[in-house]
């Protein structure tokens, strides 16, 4: 076969130099036709769009044509020609076809219209479908948007550790990291495991958040962001929770509640706008196949002001709704952590736009949040989104050494593990704050997909770690 430099399909479809000899390589989506002529829809992952390969029966051995089935991988030389068919400008008049890999009948992505659950069980092959191709191209674009947003605003990308000895959120949902022989654990008289001889000489886990180290970065470099995997051993089998997810955590010195909320809102809008500007083809596909209101919803989010509402006001609105007969599964009471049904009521029914809820009761929030004068609430913010619920959790941090120590003591958090964190408050403390955005929740929103397992290539959830 003649060697011609490969063109990616995304680039090929923009070309108008008809008559040029081109090469494309990719996977067959469909083949239809007759003895006289075959039409092959070829995709190489560079775009949702296929290129049509026209293979004249007389030019090719029927055995070769027979092997070109859905899923097969082929290498094609041919002429770029103007396409008479609707829906595409160009097609390729094939001259040579090499079969890289045939695809037997048991190819798991053979049939169209499989359920998402089926796709998850074949997550190693689902990447080759239109839907997952679109989702993961968008996921890539969102990662680029995030770096661009922060870089353009003078934030430094800061790498917090994956292995850590502290539990940032204090929820005890950590996966342990050890090299100890689990069949032969050394214990003290009270039955507690001795870690002195473990790899790190202490109990360590996978991080639930890079925030604590991010605060060290922000109180030195001014403004940083982390963007990496985080791990939570919470046994939540919901369409919104993963055991391994990616989080973006900016942390900023000299910031107050209003600055923080401005940053949260500007950041999300920037990412959504980026998708609208850079992922048009994939969004149009998802809008057609997955969620007919997707693009409309994305446009609406970038053009509306988010509601900013104290938790206490939110509770009042929920109580009034309940009094008027709106049924909630969980009764409403000041001090409660809002359930998903409450968040969705506020966002989807009451305000019909994103809501930033602020000033939560301190009992339901982490130790590091700045305490308000009232002694009851803290300067935490949750950004609540239609369909998603909580997409961001953030706060202004308690910068007073004494107040922070008191809270740590009240919550019985082991001090000896926290000494380095407390040093930020001891040496040149400053007002600061930040937030964490769950990357997959953003991808859920931007793609219109319904289940968080379908927006990360290889989901980790309770009882699943395949692939
Ligand atoms: O609200 P969270 O727990 O906040 C923190 O971790 C803070 N340290 C962030 C900070 O202030 N720097 O988590 C932040 C976000 C949530 O709003 C949610 O979007 C996402 O992380 N998240 C999850 N996403 C997928 N699966 C899970 N199990 C998640 N838990 C939290
Ligand atoms: Mg939260």
């Amino acid at each position: 076969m003649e060697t011609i430099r490969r063109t990616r399909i995304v680039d090929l479809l923009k070309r108008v130099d008809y008559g040029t000899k081109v090469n494309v390589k990719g996977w067959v989506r469909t083949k239809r036709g007759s003895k006289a002529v075959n039409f092959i829809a070829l995709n190489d992952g560079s775009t949702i769009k296929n290129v049509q390969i026209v293979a004249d029966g007389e030019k090719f051995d029927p055995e070769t044509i027979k092997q070109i089935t859905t899923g097969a991988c082929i290498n094609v030389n041919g002429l770029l020609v103007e396409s008479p068919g609707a829906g595409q400008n160009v097609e390729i008049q094939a001259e040579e076809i090499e079969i890289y890999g045939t695809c037997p009948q048991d190819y798991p992505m053979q049939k169209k219209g499989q359920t998402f659950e089926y796709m998850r069980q074949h997550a190693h092959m689902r990447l080759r479908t239109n839907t997952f191709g679109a989702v993961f191209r968008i996921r890539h674009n969102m990662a680029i948007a995030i770096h661009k947003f922060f870089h353009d605003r003078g934030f430094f990308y800061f790498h917090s550790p994956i292995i850590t000895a502290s539990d940032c959120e204090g929820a005890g949902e950590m996966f342990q990291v050890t090299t100890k022989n689990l069949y032969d654990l050394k214990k003290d008289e009270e039955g507690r495991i001795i870690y002195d001889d473990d790899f790190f000489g202490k109990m360590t886990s996978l991080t639930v958040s890079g925030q604590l180290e991010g605060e060290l970065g922000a109180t030195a470099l001014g403004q940083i962001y982390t963007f990496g995997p985080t791990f939570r051993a919470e046994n939540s089998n919901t369409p919104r929770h993963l055991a391994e997810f990616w989080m973006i955590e900016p942390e900023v010195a000299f910031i107050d509640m209003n600055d923080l909320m401005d940053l949260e809102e500007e950041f999300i809008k920037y990412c959504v706008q980026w998708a609208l500007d850079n992922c048009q083809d994939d969004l149009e596909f998802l809008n057609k196949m997955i969620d007919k209101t997707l693009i409309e919803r994305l446009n609406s989010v970038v053009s509306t002001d988010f509601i900013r509402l104290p938790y206490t006001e939110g509770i009042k609105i929920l109580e009034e709704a309940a009094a008027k007969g709106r049924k909630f599964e969980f009764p409403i009471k000041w001090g409660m952590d809002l359930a998903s049904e409450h968040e969705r009521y506020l966002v989807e029914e009451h305000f019909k736009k994103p809501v930033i809820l602020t000033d939560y009761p301190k009992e339901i929030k982490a130790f590091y949040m700045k305490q308000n004068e009232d002694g009851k609430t803290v300067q935490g913010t949750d950004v609540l989104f239609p369909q998603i619920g909580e997409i961001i959790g953030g706060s202004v941090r308690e910068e007073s050494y004494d107040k922070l120590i008191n809270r740590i003591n009240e919550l019985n958090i082991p001090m000896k593990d926290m000494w380095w964190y407390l040093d930020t408050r001891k040496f040149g403390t400053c007002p600061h704050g930040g937030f964490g955005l769950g990357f997959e929740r953003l991808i859920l929103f931007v793609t219109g997909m319904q289940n968080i397992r379908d927006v990360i290539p290889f989901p980790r959830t309770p009882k699943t770690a395949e692939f």
Side-chain angles (χ1 to χ4, degrees):
M1 201 161 146
E2 189 185 347
T3 307
I4 301 170
R5 199 170 161 185
R6 171 183 169 236
T7 309
R8 292 190 322 143
I9 291 171
V10 66
D11 299 323
L12 185 101
L13 293 176
K14 293 181 205 142
R15 284 172 60 170
V16 290
D17 50 332
Y18 311 121
T20 312
K21 255 192 179 179
V22 293
N23 171 271
V24 289
K25 306 179 200 294
W27 293 269
V28 175
R29 285 287 204 258
T30 56
K31 183 188 70 182
R32 63 189 171 80
S34 61
K35 256 211 174 93
V37 61
N38 278 281
F39 300 96
I40 303 157
L42 196 70
N43 190 283
D44 67 359
S46 62
T47 161
I48 189 88
K49 292 183 177 154
N50 303 325
V51 66
Q52 173 156 282
I53 313 287
V54 183
D56 283 338
E58 61 197 29
K59 275 197 213 150
F60 297 95
D61 175 6
E63 270 316 300
T64 307
I65 297 291
K66 222 166 106 190
Q67 289 183 341
I68 301 175
T69 58
T70 296
C73 187
I74 60 173
N75 179 20
V76 181
N77 282 345
L79 293 182
L80 185 72
V81 295
E82 207 165 349
S83 175
Q88 72 236 346
N89 296 328
V90 296
E91 58 187 34
I92 294 174
Q93 194 70 50
E95 295 190 330
E96 292 175 287
I97 299 180
E98 178 188 359
I99 314 258
Y100 277 145
T102 57
C103 189
Q105 284 300 309
D106 56 350
Y107 175 48
M109 298 296 125
Q110 185 81 250
K111 283 206 206 85
K112 291 200 162 173
Q114 297 282 12
T115 64
F116 282 115
E117 183 50 38
Y118 172 89
M119 301 276 213
R120 275 167 225 143
Q121 284 157 14
H122 300 86
H124 61 309
M125 286 285 138
R126 68 177 179 170
L127 307 172
R128 292 198 198 163
T129 64
N130 285 333
T131 300
F132 287 94
V135 167
F136 295 124
R137 278 186 297 272
I138 292 174
R139 187 177 162 110
H140 158 79
N141 270 282
M142 289 295 91
I144 298 298
I146 284 158
H147 285 301
K148 182 145 171 50
F149 176 87
F150 287 117
H151 175 74
D152 287 354
R153 285 159 186 75
F155 285 67
F156 301 108
Y157 183 25
F158 187 73
H159 294 106
S160 48
I162 302 280
I163 300 173
T164 155
S166 56
D167 181 358
C168 173
E169 294 306 299
E173 291 167 337
M174 303 186 81
F175 290 102
Q176 275 196 48
V177 174
T178 180
T179 52
K180 285 177 88 78
N181 177 358
L182 297 181
Y183 295 102
D184 183 23
L185 286 175
K186 254 203 314 184
K187 294 185 182 167
D188 66 12
E189 294 97 71
E190 278 141 60
R192 283 183 302 234
I193 297 167
I194 298 168
Y195 286 99
D196 300 359
D197 62 343
D198 199 354
F199 190 92
F200 296 107
K202 55 161 72 171
M203 187 173 143
T204 50
S205 306
L206 296 178
T207 187
V208 295
S209 158
Q211 178 195 322
L212 302 186
E213 292 87 356
E215 287 187 47
L216 302 179
T219 54
L221 303 172
Q223 45 190 28
I224 61 91
Y225 68 105
T226 71
F227 184 5
T230 43
F231 307 86
R232 296 200 186 172
E234 53 186 333
N235 202 0
S236 305
N237 253 311
T238 81
R240 311 261 172 272
H241 289 88
L242 289 165
E244 176 178 312
F245 62 99
W246 286 62
M247 189 153 51
I248 298 95
E249 295 186 276
E251 191 70 31
V252 189
F254 318 120
I255 199 176
D256 65 13
M257 276 289 267
N258 283 324
D259 302 332
L260 178 66
M261 289 188 282
D262 287 347
L263 184 66
E264 292 171 343
E265 186 168 339
E266 193 193 346
F267 174 52
I268 298 192
K269 285 180 169 170
Y270 181 92
C271 293
V272 173
Q273 188 63 54
W274 184 277
L276 287 166
D277 293 343
N278 295 280
C279 308
Q280 242 166 348
D281 292 345
D282 288 323
L283 286 179
E284 274 164 23
F285 173 82
L286 293 169
N287 195 76
K288 193 163 125 212
M289 304 303 288
I290 303 289
D291 179 347
K292 300 260 184 295
T293 58
L294 174 64
I295 294 179
E296 186 190 317
R297 203 164 53 247
L298 299 184
N299 277 313
S300 119
V301 157
V302 292
S303 60
T304 40
D305 290 338
F306 297 4
I307 300 286
R308 299 179 180 190
L309 186 79
Y311 166 93
T312 303
E313 299 293 317
I315 290 288
K316 270 191 209 141
I317 292 172
L318 290 164
E319 279 172 344
E320 278 161 23
K324 283 191 194 135
R326 173 67 162 78
K327 293 271 173 289
F328 293 107
E329 193 184 334
F330 301 99
I332 292 133
K333 196 168 157 265
W334 195 95
M336 73 189 288
D337 209 353
L338 295 189
S340 155
E341 57 170 345
H342 306 125
E343 295 178 345
R344 296 187 73 159
Y345 174 81
L346 291 173
V347 174
E348 289 165 26
E349 291 181 48
H350 189 81
F351 290 110
K352 300 194 170 64
K353 47 169 97 169
V355 175
I356 310 183
L357 219 52
T358 66
D359 303 284
Y360 282 82
K362 65 176 186 210
E363 281 73 23
I364 58 173
K365 289 292 178 193
F367 72 94
Y368 50 70
M369 295 196 183
K370 186 175 171 72
Q371 297 157 35
N372 278 324
E373 302 279 314
D374 64 11
K376 290 192 292 199
T377 59
V378 289
Q379 296 188 6
T381 67
D382 275 7
V383 181
L384 310 177
F385 250 51
Q387 317 240 326
I388 310 297
E390 181 192 332
I391 192 164
I392 278 183
S395 79
V396 174
R397 318 305 185 190
E398 182 52 71
E399 85 247 28
S400 146
Y401 183 86
D402 292 338
K403 285 189 187 162
L404 188 62
I405 285 273
N406 285 343
R407 193 68 190 131
I408 286 174
N409 288 337
E410 269 169 27
L411 293 168
N412 268 321
I413 298 171
M415 286 290 281
K416 83 172 176 19
D417 298 336
M418 283 288 158
W419 67 270
W420 51 272
Y421 181 71
L422 291 170
D423 272 2
T424 53
R425 278 47 171 188
K426 200 159 136 194
F427 304 117
T429 191
C430 75
H432 65 285
F435 64 83
L437 169 102
F439 189 48
E440 285 75 17
R441 296 205 183 162
L442 175 70
I443 309 298
L444 271 181
F445 181 73
V446 171
T447 59
M449 298 293 284
Q450 298 297 309
N451 193 311
I452 201 162
R453 294 167 177 81
D454 300 331
V455 295
I456 186 165
F458 305 106
R460 299 288 177 257
T461 53
K463 304 281 180 287
T464 0
E466 196 74 60
F467 313 114

